[in-house]
């Protein structure tokens, strides 16, 4: 008995769990976003920690998707959209003039609400990114990337015998995992997910949620979700947006058991929104 | 607090709270009646306490069923979740209080012919009044969501502990002086212990109310006044 006790590491000697290490992958400082004259986001400061899932929650029109799209400059594609403030990826301002937007979007991938595979084969859907980015030198290498990506997206076993069939022929949940595989194929560091499960049934949703937990060992994930339960299940941190302001951000456990702001409390308990 | 968008959710939480408050009232009555029955050797009152325990048990079951249903249907979070958890926890403390009061009442029925030292009886009555006040205050703190009152109850429990210690010593003295009193005194010792345990349940409820209102658990360094574990007394007790 004594031996067992003495070999146990005391809490002070144990290494800090990954969650507690302060390693910001991305930081947003004083971010304002305007659509023409209308301001959609006000003075948002947020840290996104490496190898964690952070959920952005809030009622429709609160600015959470707008903020998500700032993180890989998807807002550049919207006419009249203006972003001010600083957003850094590994201490590098992604809105700097010298930055290559295509490279940023390769490093910060995105998965959308509705599965949107290319009208190509399953294989080509995943191979497309690595090919246009010139990331592989041989056919064999490309094939390896495709297989690994499909495996990481938890789809390979289901599609390995029909890689040449069209991606659009898969079920909704499979299509969404194909889109995740496509995003993974270009070796991103951060994956943005905009309500990735809202078009899926509960089983497909559960698979994506399970996948997110596995993916965070290699990637950093930012997810916008309307499902509070999903945010509580998949993320380590949660940020609540309301009317364009970041109201509260903290550990998911704390946000869902003891939120500090009344607006957060009212929203997550279903009192408005 | 603002209403839920789904008003049925508000109704469910309100119902839980209402059953709990009614249950608390019954537990208070049982405690008061059981000690009255003891002091006055009132058997019918004791029977009444024993019968009432079924209603208290039913209330606990009802709260548990409704709480489980609410958890399944609404998946409450934050304040709502604490509301449901508090109802489950407090009802379980109240159920135990009901059991302890019933146990006192059962002893009233067997104590009939036994000789009892009257001065100890007075001590027990004081002790139960104190425990009753604690229970009443902590239930009020639940109804009104008042953390300060709950904290007061939490801190005051040591007074009951101190009273228990003095009743314990007194009973011990009687038993040493006159072995014929041992049976009666032993019963009274259990009665005292039951009241002391009821005080503990009130402090549990106080902790739950604190958690319910603030979202923070109370730390476990409550002031204790248990000298029975002192070496000298422990020796006496052997």
């Amino acid at each position: 008995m004594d031996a067992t006790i003495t070999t146990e590491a005391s809490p002070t000697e144990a290494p800090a769990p990954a969650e507690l290490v302060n390693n910001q992958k991305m930081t947003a400082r004083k971010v304002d976003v305007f659509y023409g004259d209308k301001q959609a986001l006000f003075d948002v400061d947020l840290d996104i920690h490496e190898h964690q899932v952070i959920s952005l929650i809030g009622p429709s029109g609160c600015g959470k998707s707008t903020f998500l799209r700032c993180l890989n400059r998807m807002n550049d594609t919207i006419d009249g959209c203006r972003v001010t403030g600083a957003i850094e990826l590994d201490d590098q301002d992604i809105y700097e003039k010298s930055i290559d937007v295509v490279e940023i979007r390769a490093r910060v991938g995105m998965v959308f609400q509705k599965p949107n595979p290319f009208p190509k084969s399953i294989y080509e859907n995943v191979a497309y990114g690595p090919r246009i980015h010139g990331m592989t030198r041989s056919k064999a290498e490309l094939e390896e990337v495709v297989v690994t990506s499909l495996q990481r997206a938890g789809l390979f076993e289901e599609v390995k015998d029909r890689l040449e069939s069209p991606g659009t022929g898969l079920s909704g949940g499979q299509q969404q995992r194909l889109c995740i595989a496509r995003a993974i194929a270009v070796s991103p560091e951060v994956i943005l997910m905009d309500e990735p499960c809202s078009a899926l049934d509960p089983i497909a949703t559960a698979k994506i949620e399970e996948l997110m937990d596995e993916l965070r060992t290699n990637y950093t994930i930012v997810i916008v979700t309307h499902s509070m339960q999903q945010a509580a299940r998949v993320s380590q941190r949660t940020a609540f947006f309301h009317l364009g302001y970041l109201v509260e951000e903290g550990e998911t456990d704390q946000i869902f058991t003891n939120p500090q702001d009344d607006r957060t409390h009212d929203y997550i308990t279903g009192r408005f929104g | 607090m603002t209403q839920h968008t789904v008003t049925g959710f508000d109704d469910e939480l309100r119902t839980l709270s209402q059953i709990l408050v009614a249950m608390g009232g019954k537990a208070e009555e049982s405690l008061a009646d059981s000690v009255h029955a003891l002091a006055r050797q009132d058997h019918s009152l004791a029977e009444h306490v024993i019968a009432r325990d079924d209603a208290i048990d039913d209330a606990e079951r009802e709260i548990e069923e409704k709480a489980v249903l609410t958890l399944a249907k609404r998946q409450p979070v934050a304040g709502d979740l604490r509301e449901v958890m508090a109802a489950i926890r407090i009802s379980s403390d109240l159920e135990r209080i009901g059991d302890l009061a019933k146990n006192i009442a059962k002893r009233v029925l067997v104590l009939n012919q036994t000789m009892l030292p009257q001065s100890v009886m007075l001590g027990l009555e004081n002790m139960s009044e104190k425990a009753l006040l604690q229970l009443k205050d902590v239930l009020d703190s639940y109804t009104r969501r008042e953390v300060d009152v709950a904290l007061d109850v939490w801190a005051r429990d040591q007074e009951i502990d101190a009273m228990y210690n003095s009743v314990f010593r007194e009973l011990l003295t009687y038993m040493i002086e006159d072995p014929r009193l041992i049976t009666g005194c032993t019963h009274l010792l259990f009665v005292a212990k039951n009241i002391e345990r009821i005080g503990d349940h009130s402090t549990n409820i106080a902790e739950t109310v604190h958690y319910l209102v603030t979202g923070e658990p109370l730390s476990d360094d409550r002031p204790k006044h248990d000298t029975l574990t002192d070496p000298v007394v422990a020796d006496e007790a052997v």
Side-chain angles (χ1 to χ4, degrees), chain A residues 25-68:
Chain A
K25 185 68 188 171
M26 297 191 80
T27 57
R29 290 291 176 268
K30 294 193 172 303
V31 172
D32 292 323
V33 177
F34 301 84
Y35 293 117
D37 294 336
K38 191 181 176 305
Q39 189 163 359
L41 273 186
F42 300 84
D43 201 27
V44 173
D45 282 0
L46 186 66
D47 291 339
I48 293 160
H49 302 264
E50 194 166 21
H51 300 311
Q52 288 198 347
V53 180
I54 180 169
S55 294
L56 312 182
I57 60 169
S60 296
C62 69
K64 56 193 189 300
S65 292
T66 297
F67 179 76
L68 187 79

Side-chain angles (χ1 to χ4, degrees), chain A residues 27 41 66 80-81 86 92 105 111 127 145 148 158 163 167 174 181 184 220 224-225 240 250 270:
Chain A
T27 57
L41 273 186
T66 297
C81 181
Q92 184 185 27
R105 293 191 190 138
V111 175
V145 170
T148 318
E158 292 164 51
L163 292 176
Q174 288 173 327
I184 292 171
T220 300
V224 163
T225 176
F240 170 62

Side-chain angles (χ1 to χ4, degrees), chain A residues 13-239:
Chain A
E13 287 162 5
E19 277 84 352
L20 298 180
V21 179
N22 202 18
N23 45 356
Q24 290 105 352
K25 185 68 188 171
M26 297 191 80
T27 57
R29 290 291 176 268
K30 294 193 172 303
V31 172
D32 292 323
V33 177
F34 301 84
Y35 293 117
D37 294 336
K38 191 181 176 305
Q39 189 163 359
L41 273 186
F42 300 84
D43 201 27
V44 173
D45 282 0
L46 186 66
D47 291 339
I48 293 160
H49 302 264
E50 194 166 21
H51 300 311
Q52 288 198 347
V53 180
I54 180 169
S55 294
L56 312 182
I57 60 169
S60 296
C62 69
K64 56 193 189 300
S65 292
T66 297
F67 179 76
L68 187 79
R69 286 198 301 269
C70 291
L71 297 176
N72 68 347
R73 293 188 55 174
M74 288 294 280
N75 285 333
D76 292 12
T77 60
I78 298 170
D79 278 343
C81 181
R82 190 158 54 84
V83 179
T84 64
I87 295 179
E88 293 183 346
L89 172 63
D90 287 337
D91 301 322
Q92 184 185 27
D93 189 347
I94 64 169
Y95 279 86
E96 225 173 66
K97 287 220 160 43
S98 59
I99 289 281
D100 176 4
V101 182
V102 176
E103 189 215 314
I104 287 296
R105 293 191 190 138
R107 291 173 67 192
V108 184
M110 194 156 188
V111 175
F112 297 88
Q113 181 172 2
K114 211 164 150 259
N116 55 353
F118 302 136
K120 290 171 180 288
S121 71
I122 295 171
Y123 185 94
E124 279 306 314
N125 259 282
V126 186
Y128 184 79
R131 194 180 283 136
I132 60 159
H133 285 289
M135 290 168 64
T136 54
R137 279 161 300 177
S138 66
K139 208 173 164 226
E141 207 178 324
L142 181 61
E143 194 168 320
E144 199 190 317
V145 170
V146 171
V147 170
T148 318
S149 304
L150 284 169
Q151 279 170 339
R152 283 195 173 167
L155 187 62
F156 185 69
E157 285 306 313
E158 292 164 51
V159 301
K160 62 183 176 190
D161 300 325
R162 47 174 170 149
L163 292 176
E164 293 312 317
S165 348
T168 46
L170 296 171
S171 74
Q174 288 173 327
Q175 286 189 23
Q176 195 62 306
R177 277 180 284 150
L178 180 62
C179 293
I180 292 174
R182 184 176 67 189
I184 292 171
V186 292
S187 303
E189 296 155 46
V190 181
I191 304 173
L192 310 179
M193 297 186 173
D194 196 351
E195 296 180 47
C197 300
S198 57
L200 305 184
D201 72 23
I203 301 292
T205 299
K207 283 186 183 162
I208 303 273
E209 287 181 4
E210 173 72 11
L211 178 61
M212 287 171 69
D213 205 47
E214 287 163 21
L215 289 176
R216 79 179 173 95
T217 46
N218 294 307
Y219 312 98
T220 300
I221 298 174
V222 187
I223 175 176
V224 163
T225 176
H226 270 133
S227 160
M228 244 88 70
Q229 298 300 326
Q230 181 169 64
R233 286 191 299 261
V234 302
S235 60
Q236 285 69 54
R237 297 190 77 84
T238 296

Side-chain angles (χ1 to χ4, degrees), chain B residues 23-32 34 49 53 56-57 60 89-105 131-132 134-136 138-139 194-206:
Chain B
M23 186 186 179
K26 288 200 180 76
E28 279 181 63
E29 275 180 68
S30 281
L31 170 59
S34 67
V49 172
D53 193 49
I56 295 180
D57 289 352
E60 191 206 14
R89 271 156 61 170
I90 294 174
S91 70
S92 136
D93 279 312
L94 291 175
E95 190 272 337
R96 291 299 304 146
I97 290 175
D99 281 352
L100 292 164
K102 178 183 171 186
N103 184 272
I104 294 174
L132 196 61
Q134 289 277 81
L135 182 57
K136 184 187 162 300
V138 84
L139 289 172
N194 285 351
I195 298 172
E196 190 268 335
R197 288 295 301 146
I198 287 172
D200 288 347
H201 285 293
S202 294
T203 62
N204 284 351
I205 297 174

